[in-house]
Structure formats: C-alpha cells, structure tokens
Amino acid sequence: MSTKRITGPEIEKLIQLLAKVPGLGPRSARRAALHMIKKKNQLMAPLAAALSEAAEKVTVCSVCGNADTVDPCSICTDPRRDGATLIVVEDVADLWALERAGAMNAKYHVLGGTLSPLDGVGPDDLNIRSLVDRVGAEGTSELILAVNATVEGQTTAHYITDQLGDTGVRVTRLAHGVPVGGELDYLDEGTLSAALRSRTSF
Amino acid sequence: MSTKRITGPEIEKLIQLLAKVPGLGPRSARRAALHMIKKKNQLMAPLAAALSEAAEKVTVCSVCGNADTVDPCSICTDPRRDGATLIVVEDVADLWALERAGAMNAKYHVLGGTLSPLDGVGPDDLNIRSLVDRVGAEGTSELILAVNATVEGQTTAHYITDQLGDTGVRVTRLAHGVPVGGELDYLDEGTLSAALRSRTSF
C-alpha cells in the first residue's frame, strides 16, 4: 500500500467515512465515492443535503421509540391507526419491516434491544417500563410481541408478559412456521416441528 | 407495500438517495439510514460534511484526468514522480487501483472510457488527443497501456499506438497471465494460453 497522495484529503476522508456505512467496505466505498464524483450534481450534493437535513431533524419518538423527524412520530399521531393494538419490536428496523408488510394498522413500541444479562442489558436498559405504562394509560387490548425468534427475544417476551400479568391485556406472539416461498428441504428442524405442531386445516 | 407514513419525509428522501449509491440497494439503504440515525454524531453529520466539502471541491485534473481537489492533481505536481513514464488507464478507478498496488512511481493519463463505435464513443470523446500532445510536450519515454483486457480496451490501445506512430515513445502493455493466488482450474483458455506463451524461466 502506497502512502503517496493520489487524490485530495477531502476525497480520502469521504472514502473513510463511506467505508463505515453498513453494506459498504473499503473497496466499495472507493467505488461509491468515484461514482458520486461523476454524479456530483445528481447524487453527491443532494445526498450531502439530505444527510445534513436528516442529521439535524431526526429524533426518537418519546412515545414509541420510532425514528422520525417529529415527536411524537407520524405513526403515534396518525388518527387512522388502531391504538388498541400495540406491536412490540426490538428495533426500529423491525418496525419498518412490519410496516412494509402492511398487514396491521396498529401502533408500535420499540424496546431498543433484548434482555441479555451476559452483555449487561437489563430491564432498565430497554423501554419496558414505558411499555407497561402505555398499556395502562392507553387502554391497550392486544399486545403483539413481534420480537425475534432468538433466545434473547423469547426471554424478553417472557419478561414482558410477567410485567403485564395483572393488566388484563391479551398478549400474542408471531406465528412460527414455514416462510412463504420457503422450501422445506432448507428449513431447520425447529421450524419444521413448529410448522407441524401449528398446522391448520386446508 | 403500505403508503402510510412510517417516518419523516426527510428520512425517506435520504433512503431514496442512499439506494442510488453503488453497492447499496433499497433494502441496504434502509439499513444504512437506520445505522446512521443511531450514529448521528459519529457518522451521519461527519459524512454529510465530507460529502458537501467533496462536492464543492472535487475537480478533474486538466492534465491527466484524475479526480482530486486541486488542479493539476496531487500526482501531476508530485516532484518525486517519474514523469518520463505515463500509465494510460480507462478510468480514475483503474488509476487508484494501480496506485494501491504501488508498483510504479509514474504519472498517469485517464482516457475516460474506451473506443466503442456501437455506443457512439469515438476518439474525440476520449482524452486521446491530449495524451498525444502530452507525450510530445513532456518528452515521455515509455507509455504503459494499462487498459482493460477487453475487445474495446485492446481496440483503444491499438488506436493510441497508431496515433503515436512517429513520436519514438516506447509503448508497452500489461502482461497477461495467471493472477497471483489464482488457481489454474478456474481460469479461462485465453488466460492459460497467454500464460503459456509468455512463460518465463524459473
């Protein structure tokens, strides 16, 4: 690796920062930078402006934990949403994924992670207390635990259910089964067992 | 796909622009945006500033065609460079790749593409005239044609050699052969034939 300068320090710095974006490595960051240099007015300048505006305006919804530019967020203030159903997710990315599916018209609650004693993540590090408060204050009738099907996710789900014990809210979880479009041959035993146990009439 | 708003328009716009960056698609752009929202001060704001500064300062070297923030570029003005050797490349990306290899201390000339009559790219669309002028003016002793080993690249190499016919400059090209670390089993017949023809004593 040569230490000689081959381009301006501003461009080198841009490449270094681009390499930190998930999905881009050092090599693709260089390619991305060159592409943007060629598309300076169509991509580079607008992206700079969009990043700067987003960095300035982005905020975390104080009600549900969604990322938005207003607080409370667009979902929490949407009058067409069914506020009686709350979907509990680990992360904002999960919220957005469920919204893309468009299957429910509910509101959300972002935990901000899962319980993980080994990593030092306890109940007070997650938005669990605010969830319990919301269920009481908003008169939630159903709480859908859309946490990941991992040990940590399931532990967190159990902890939340315990905390909600006496509120009378109906607590549900996502169905386990064969992914739509999935091939049985490629699925693990746990998923196949769950799909068999939860079989439905055809 | 739901048309309901799930986040602010500024964030949606950022995702749309990120999806145009090579290496990122719509899905990874969303992931990248969420990551940057979480790393607002460490990544999002610095990247916005770096893009904005690069967009403002980036320029094309009027001598060699390199992308830099100064004109002539850092390589053209580097007194430690051997100006008698010019490496001709198709694209700035190729120049940067050769510099990373660090094998030569030469200067460069970026053609900006290859001759491609079917796509309407003729000699006047590339930096060929300026290359011939440079060879005459700078007293170049060797011109290394580091164009891609494609039909268009080789056509362009032949055209350039024709144009330089009476200047007396030594014109060379990159060696063909087995890539370092490559396995013979995976190589095409053309590469293997070239590697055999150009065999060297061991």
Side-chain angles (χ1 to χ4, degrees), chain A residues 14-168:
Chain A
L14 172 63
I15 294 169
Q16 278 169 24
L17 283 167
L18 280 173
K20 291 185 187 169
V21 174
L24 295 178
R27 201 171 274 260
S28 45
R30 208 165 280 274
R31 209 173 305 130
L34 273 169
H35 179 81
M36 289 199 275
I37 285 169
K38 284 179 194 159
K39 304 246 174 200
K40 200 167 72 172
N41 296 323
Q42 302 99 300
L43 183 55
M44 199 179 211
L47 184 58
L51 274 169
S52 159
E53 193 172 10
E56 193 184 302
K57 292 194 180 168
V58 77
T59 182
V60 172
C61 175
S62 56
V63 179
C64 77
N66 187 16
D68 203 329
T69 47
V70 284
D71 180 21
C73 76
S74 316
I75 291 178
C76 284
T77 53
D78 186 346
R80 294 164 302 177
R81 296 265 174 177
D82 168 23
T85 308
L86 271 191
I87 305 181
V88 178
V89 292
E90 292 177 17
D91 203 272
V92 176
D94 303 327
L95 188 167
W96 290 9
L98 287 167
E99 275 297 299
R100 283 201 300 281
M104 296 284 292
N105 193 33
K107 295 191 175 179
Y108 292 87
H109 196 85
V110 180
L111 294 174
T114 46
L115 292 176
S116 178
L118 286 176
D119 300 321
V121 181
D124 294 337
D125 300 310
L126 306 176
N127 301 322
I128 293 181
R129 188 172 305 230
S130 60
L131 172 64
V132 178
D133 291 347
R134 256 184 103 181
V135 168
E138 299 182 10
T140 310
S141 62
E142 183 177 354
L143 200 72
I144 305 176
L145 295 172
V147 290
N148 290 334
T150 56
V151 172
E152 289 85 3
Q154 298 310 307
T155 308
T156 311
H158 279 116
Y159 181 82
I160 291 172
T161 315
D162 281 350
Q163 298 295 307
L164 293 165
D166 52 351
T167 51

Side-chain angles (χ1 to χ4, degrees), chain B residues 41-186:
Chain B
N41 296 323
Q42 303 97 303
L43 183 55
M44 199 180 214
L47 184 58
L51 274 168
S52 161
E53 193 172 12
E56 194 185 302
K57 293 196 179 166
V58 76
T59 184
V60 171
C61 175
S62 57
V63 179
C64 77
N66 187 15
D68 204 330
T69 46
V70 286
D71 180 20
C73 75
S74 317
I75 292 177
C76 284
T77 54
D78 185 347
R80 292 164 302 176
R81 296 263 173 178
D82 166 24
T85 307
L86 271 190
I87 305 182
V88 178
V89 292
E90 294 178 18
D91 203 272
V92 176
D94 302 327
L95 188 167
W96 290 8
L98 288 167
E99 274 297 301
R100 282 200 300 281
M104 295 284 292
N105 194 32
K107 295 191 176 182
Y108 292 86
H109 196 87
V110 181
L111 294 173
T114 45
L115 292 176
S116 178
L118 286 176
D119 300 320
V121 181
D124 294 338
D125 300 311
L126 304 177
N127 302 322
I128 293 180
R129 186 172 306 228
S130 60
L131 172 64
V132 178
D133 291 349
R134 259 185 101 179
V135 168
E138 299 183 9
T140 309
S141 62
E142 181 177 357
L143 200 72
I144 306 177
L145 295 171
V147 291
N148 290 334
T150 57
V151 173
E152 289 85 3
Q154 298 312 306
T155 309
T156 310
H158 280 114
Y159 180 84
I160 291 171
T161 314
D162 281 350
Q163 298 295 305
L164 293 166
D166 53 351
T167 50
V169 64
R170 182 177 170 227
V171 181
T172 55
R173 67 169 174 91
L174 297 183
H176 288 312
V178 179
V180 176
E183 295 181 44
L184 299 194
D185 197 15
Y186 291 94

